[in-house]
Amino acid sequence: MKLLDTVRRSGRNLKSAKTRTLLTACAIAVGGFTLTLTLAAATGARHFTNRLVQANFDPQAVFAAKDKAFFSNNATPKPREYSEDLNAANGLLVKQFTPDDIKKVEHLPHVRQVIPNYTVTAQYITREGAKKYTGAVNVFDSASKPETKAGEVPAELPADAMLLPDDYLGLLGFKDAQDAIGKPVTIQVRQPTGKTLSKEYAVAAVTTKSSLSIDFNQTGPYISLVALKELNDFISTGVVNGNLVPTITIRGDGVDAETLKQEVTNAGFEARTAKDLQSFINQIITVLQSVIIVFGLITLVASFFGVVNTQYISVLERTREIGLMKALGTSRGTVSGLFMIEATWIGLLGAGLGAIVAVAVGMLLNPWISQKLNFGAERLLVFEPLQIASLVIFLMAVTTIVGLLPARKAAKLDPIEALRTE
Amino acid sequence: MIEVRDVRKVYGKKDSAFEALKGIDLQIPDGATVAVIGKSGSGKSTLMHIMGGLDHPTSGEVVVNGQSLGTMKRKQIDHFRAHELGFVFQAFFVEGNQTCYQNVALPLEINETGLRSRKKLIDAALERVELLDKKHVKARNLSGGQKQRLAIARAIVNNPTLLLADEPTGNLDSMTGEKIIELLFSLNKENGSTLVIVTHDHELASRCDMQIVVKDGQVMGVRVRQVDRKPLPRRGLRI
Ligand SMILES: Nc1ncnc2c1ncn2[C@@H]1O[C@H](COP(=O)(O)OP(=O)(O)OP(=O)(O)O)[C@@H](O)[C@H]1O
Ligand SMILES: [Mg+2]
C-alpha cells in the first residue's frame, strides 16, 4: 500500500473514533503544554539575565576579587589562618585588596582604570530645612546608564555633583524631580573618633529604579569615584583594615574583557567578565529548567502509556479489519505502519494542542507576570517558533515509537484467525 | 495449474483435536471453472482458505504454478493475494463503517493501482454487481444480498487470475444469483480466470468444468465435464 493511502486510512480510522483520539491527544497535550511553557520561561529568563548583565556591567570591564572564596557559593565563615589582608565582607572572611594590590593592578599593561568598590555609609544625608537620613553612598559607574526622571547624566560626573534616586525626593522636601536639579545636598561622614566631614553636592540628575537594574544599594545617591574615595579615606583613617576593599572593577585600554581577565588572573587575582556572570546565572536557570523538564517528561511517560493502551484497544476493535487487509495481501509493514501513523497523528494533535494552548495562555499572562515580577516591559515567557517546532516533532517521534508495540501486535495477526473474531 | 497435495487440516489440540480435512488431492488446470459441493461442515471453506494461502495446512501442500505456497516468502504470498487472487468470503467481511467505494478500493490500494485507473476499476466493478447507485452509502446500511454483491465487487476489482468464491449466491434471490453467476462465468470467459465456487446449487455445479464433492474432509468424487472445449484465452498464474 502506498504511504498516501496508509496515511488517509489512518486519518479515517482516527476520525471514526473522535472522542477517544481527542482524549488520548489531551494526555499528551498536558505534557506538551508544560514543556512549551518551561522552555518559554527559560528562554525568557535567559534573555532577561542577558539584558540585565548588559545593562549593569560593562562588557569591556572585569570584576575582580582577591580571594577565590569570594566567588565560590559554598564559602563558610570558618576561621582561617591569619594574614594581613583577611577581612569580613558580607559575612564572609575573605582576603581583600590592599592599596599595594590596587597599585599593582593599575600598573598592569592593559589596565586603564581601577575602581575600588567602596561601601560607604553616610552618617546622614540632608539639605537645608529637611530631616537627616542615614544611607549608603555609591560610586557612579560611567558605564551604567541609569534611567532618569529629570536632569541629564553626564559622561563624567564632577566631584561636586551627585545623582539622586527618586526615593529621596520626598524625604528631602523637593516638590518634584525637576525641583531638585542643581540644588545642593549634604552628605556627612564620621570617623570612629567622632570627627566628621560634611560635603555638598549639586543634584545633576534624578534617577529612577529600572526593571533591569540590579544595584543592591539601590537607594543611595551616586557620586564620582574621586568624591567617594575622599569620603572613604576619611572614614577609614585609623580604622583597622579600613583601607581594604573586597572587590574592584577594572577597565582596560580597549582590549577585550577576556584578555584583561587573563592579565589580572596572571597577576594573582580572581577576575570575572560580564560574560562569566551571565553564564553563571544562566547555569542556575538551566538547572531549574532541567528540574521542570524532568517533571514534564514524567507527565509524558504517563500519557505514552495512554497512547499504548488506546492503540491496543484499537487493534482489538479492528482485528477483523486487519484480518481482511492481510487476507487481501497487505504486508506486515503496511499494517504496522498504519497503526504507527495513527500514533503519529495523535502525537501531532496532542503536541500541537498543548503548544497552542501554552502560547495562548502565555500571551494572556505575560503582562500580568511582568507586572507582578516588576519586569517593566520585559516578558518572562518568550516563545521561539523553532523551539516549539522541535518540541512538537520530538513528541510526534516519541508517540510513533511508543505506538510500535500495538502496531507489531496488529502486524503479526493471522488473517484467518483475525477474520474469525466477531 | 493449482495442485492440492495430501492436504490435512487439524483444528484444536489433543482431546479437542478435530480433523477438518483428511488428505485432499486435487488438480485444477488454469482457466477451469470448478464447483465444490458438500454438506455443511464438510470442510469446503477450510479447503478454500488453504487454496488461497490464507490458512496453512497441518500437512501436505498447495502448489500454484509449480511453487509451493508453504515455501513462499511472506512477500511473495502477499503479492499473490494482492495481484492474482480474488476471494469472496462466505461471511462477506465488508467494512460496515466504510462506503461501498472505500470497500472496493481496498484491494486496489493494497496492490498500489494508480488513483485514476483505480476510480474506473471501482466504478466498473460496482456497475457489474449493480451497486453503482450505492457508491457512497456505508456498507452497514446495505441489505444482506447487497453486502454479498459488494464482497463480489471487491473480489473481482483487481481482475484476479484465480477467483475463489465461497457460496457467492447464498443470500441472493434466484434472479440476482443468476446474474452474479453469469458475471463470474463471463470473467472466466473473458480473462481466462480460474474460478472455484463453493455452492449447493446443482444446476450451477453442472455448468462447471469440474465438480468436486467433499464429504467429511475427504474428496468423494470429481466429475469432469467432457465437452468440446473452445480454446479459452488462458491466463497463467504469475508468481
Ligand atoms: N477454527 C476452527 N476451530 C475448530 N474447528 C473448526 C474451525 N474452523 C472450522 N472448524 C470445523 O471444521 C469443519 C469444517 O468447517 P468448514 O467451515 O470448512 O465447513 P463448510 O464445509 O464450509 O461448511 P458450510 O457449508 O456450513 O459453510 C467443521 O466441522 C467446523 O466445525
Ligand atoms: Mg463454509
Side-chain angles (χ1 to χ4, degrees):
Chain A
M1 200 181 277
K2 284 193 180 123
L3 186 64
L4 187 69
D5 286 320
T6 318
V7 172
R8 238 197 325 242
R9 243 166 206 283
S10 62
R12 212 152 65 200
N13 289 334
L14 287 177
K15 254 191 249 156
S16 67
K18 277 194 202 84
T19 321
R20 191 173 63 195
T21 306
L22 210 66
L23 284 176
T24 318
C26 275
I28 293 174
V30 173
F33 176 83
T34 321
L35 289 178
T36 310
L37 280 185
T38 311
L39 290 175
T43 310
R46 265 195 210 100
H47 283 193
F48 184 72
T49 49
N50 290 355
R51 249 172 286 162
L52 199 72
V53 169
Q54 273 159 23
N56 288 280
F57 300 93
D58 184 350
Q60 300 282 316
V62 163
F63 183 74
K66 190 169 180 186
D67 204 331
K68 210 188 206 125
F70 184 88
F71 289 114
S72 70
N73 41 2
N74 53 1
T76 47
K78 59 184 173 203
R80 291 178 66 173
E81 194 187 335
Y82 170 77
S83 120
E84 272 207 331
D85 53 0
L86 263 180
N87 197 14
N90 299 334
L92 279 182
L93 208 51
V94 289
K95 291 185 177 176
Q96 302 189 350
F97 291 98
T98 63
D100 284 346
D101 290 330
I102 290 174
K103 275 211 190 76
K104 188 174 159 194
V105 175
E106 273 170 346
H107 285 115
L108 290 172
H110 290 300
V111 173
R112 180 170 59 84
Q113 190 191 15
V114 174
I115 305 164
N117 296 320
Y118 299 121
T119 44
V120 170
T121 306
Q123 186 191 0
Y124 57 77
I125 300 166
T126 190
R127 77 177 188 116
E128 243 187 276
K131 284 186 185 164
K132 297 168 179 168
Y133 297 93
T134 302
V137 182
N138 312 311
V139 63
F140 174 64
D141 181 347
S142 57
S144 66
K145 311 253 176 304
E147 272 176 43
T148 58
K149 269 192 164 170
E152 253 175 59
V153 179
E156 285 296 331
L157 197 62
D160 59 353
M162 71 153 54
L163 304 181
L164 191 69
D166 55 2
D167 303 297
Y168 272 92
L169 282 179
L171 300 179
L172 296 178
F174 290 116
K175 278 206 302 279
D176 53 29
Q178 201 52 49
D179 182 39
I181 302 301
K183 304 255 166 71
V185 171
T186 306
I187 296 177
Q188 176 159 318
V189 290
R190 186 168 60 163
Q191 285 181 352
T193 55
K195 259 173 83 181
T196 60
L197 172 70
S198 197
K199 283 271 182 185
E200 269 188 1
Y201 306 90
V203 177
V206 176
T207 62
T208 182
K209 231 183 218 168
S210 139
S211 62
L212 283 174
S213 171
I214 49 165
D215 200 322
F216 302 109
N217 305 321
Q218 185 60 39
T219 49
Y222 295 90
I223 58 176
S224 69
L225 178 61
V226 187
L228 194 72
K229 185 169 170 15
E230 187 189 358
L231 297 183
N232 187 64
D233 287 350
F234 180 80
I235 298 172
S236 52
T237 309
V239 177
V240 181
N241 289 337
N243 56 357
L244 295 180
V245 240
T247 61
I248 56 175
T249 303
I250 304 160
R251 291 239 154 69
D253 57 0
V255 290
D256 64 284
E258 209 47 49
T259 316
L260 195 61
K261 173 186 168 185
Q262 207 50 53
E263 201 170 274
V264 176
T265 310
N266 289 345
F269 304 104
E270 288 295 319
R272 296 286 185 274
T273 62
K275 255 213 190 87
D276 292 337
L277 282 170
Q278 208 166 310
S279 61
F280 175 69
I281 301 174
N282 282 341
Q283 211 178 326
I284 298 175
I285 296 173
T286 306
V287 170
L288 287 176
Q289 182 190 17
S290 315
V291 172
I292 308 178
I293 285 185
V294 165
F295 282 115
L297 288 178
I298 291 172
T299 335
L300 276 178
V301 169
S303 44
F304 289 145
F305 277 110
V307 174
V308 173
N309 188 37
T310 314
Q311 289 298 90
Y312 262 128
I313 293 172
S314 187
V315 170
L316 285 182
E317 265 182 8
R318 278 149 52 194
T319 303
R320 245 188 53 184
E321 184 190 337
I322 298 163
L324 179 72
M325 288 182 71
K326 293 198 71 177
L328 299 189
T330 312
S331 66
R332 278 190 177 199
T334 302
V335 173
S336 68
L338 188 67
F339 281 88
M340 282 173 69
I341 291 170
E342 279 179 38
T344 316
W345 278 122
I346 294 177
L348 175 65
L349 191 67
L353 211 68
I356 289 170
V357 174
V359 172
V361 168
M363 301 266 212
L364 227 68
L365 286 188
N366 248 340
W368 181 78
I369 297 174
S370 295
Q371 195 198 341
K372 285 283 162 201
L373 293 183
N374 234 335
F375 266 28
E378 297 291 311
R379 292 285 173 256
L380 175 67
L381 301 169
V382 176
F383 296 100
E384 285 185 337
L386 198 71
Q387 212 170 44
I388 295 177
S390 7
L391 179 69
V392 170
I393 289 171
F394 165 76
L395 289 182
M396 274 171 71
V398 180
T399 11
T400 311
I401 293 167
V402 164
L404 201 75
L405 266 102
R408 263 173 45 125
K409 185 189 160 77
K412 279 188 175 166
L413 284 177
D414 179 77
I416 286 295
E417 286 296 325
L419 277 171
R420 229 170 245 136
T421 57
E422 283 307 311
Chain B
M1 175 84 134
I2 303 166
E3 287 172 81
V4 178
R5 294 181 188 160
D6 193 24
V7 161
R8 288 165 198 278
K9 178 71 182 179
V10 180
Y11 286 116
K13 285 192 184 106
K14 288 182 186 162
D15 291 350
S16 62
F18 176 78
E19 199 171 19
L21 296 179
K22 300 169 179 164
I24 303 265
D25 280 291
L26 286 174
Q27 292 197 342
I28 299 171
D30 286 344
T33 52
V34 182
V36 178
I37 39 189
K39 276 203 300 194
S40 174
S42 55
K44 304 182 296 293
S45 295
T46 307
L47 177 62
M48 295 288 268
H49 294 156
I50 289 175
M51 287 207 302
L54 307 186
D55 209 354
H56 312 283
T58 310
S59 71
E61 58 179 352
V62 177
V63 181
V64 180
N65 270 15
Q67 213 178 349
S68 167
L69 290 181
T71 62
M72 269 161 73
K73 292 220 171 65
R74 202 159 31 227
K75 252 193 173 161
Q76 280 177 290
I77 297 250
D78 283 339
H79 187 272
F80 168 64
R81 287 183 197 156
H83 292 265
E84 307 294 334
L85 182 68
F87 204 108
V88 182
F89 294 93
Q90 189 172 11
F92 326 145
F93 296 133
V94 293
E95 287 299 327
N97 51 9
Q98 291 177 12
T99 64
C100 291
Y101 183 90
Q102 287 165 343
N103 266 286
V104 181
L106 181 60
L108 300 182
E109 281 180 30
I110 293 170
N111 69 19
E112 305 193 347
T113 306
L115 205 62
R116 221 174 310 142
S117 47
R118 201 188 283 182
K119 279 185 182 139
K120 269 189 229 140
L121 287 169
I122 295 169
D123 281 354
L126 285 172
E127 175 88 76
R128 295 190 88 157
V129 299
E130 294 177 6
L131 277 179
L132 198 53
D133 54 328
K134 300 278 182 189
K135 194 170 163 182
H136 298 297
V137 173
K138 291 228 162 133
R140 77 164 84 90
N141 299 327
L142 298 179
S143 74
Q146 286 170 332
K147 277 182 194 157
Q148 186 152 34
R149 283 187 276 150
L150 183 60
I152 290 164
R154 188 179 62 199
I156 62 171
V157 74
N158 62 342
N159 217 350
T161 48
L162 173 61
L163 184 63
L164 302 175
D166 198 346
E167 296 192 36
T169 55
N171 284 49
L172 300 178
D173 60 282
S174 55
M175 268 280 283
T176 319
E178 187 60 32
K179 271 187 195 161
I180 293 297
I181 295 303
E182 286 311 321
L183 163 61
L184 297 182
F185 274 106
S186 71
L187 278 178
N188 166 263
K189 285 218 178 60
E190 288 160 21
N191 303 336
S193 312
T194 309
L195 191 60
V196 183
I197 310 174
V198 173
T199 185
H200 298 293
D201 180 349
H202 287 278
E203 209 268 325
L204 164 60
S206 64
R207 288 175 60 187
C208 293
D209 302 336
M210 247 169 118
Q211 290 181 48
I212 297 166
V213 184
V214 181
K215 192 182 174 199
D216 292 336
Q218 281 172 312
V219 176
M220 294 311 287
V222 178
R223 240 172 290 159
V224 180
R225 192 166 61 131
Q226 292 299 342
V227 284
D228 46 325
R229 286 190 63 181
K230 312 178 273 315
L232 288 170
R234 290 190 183 180
R235 266 171 86 200
L237 292 180
R238 275 165 284 120
I239 291 195

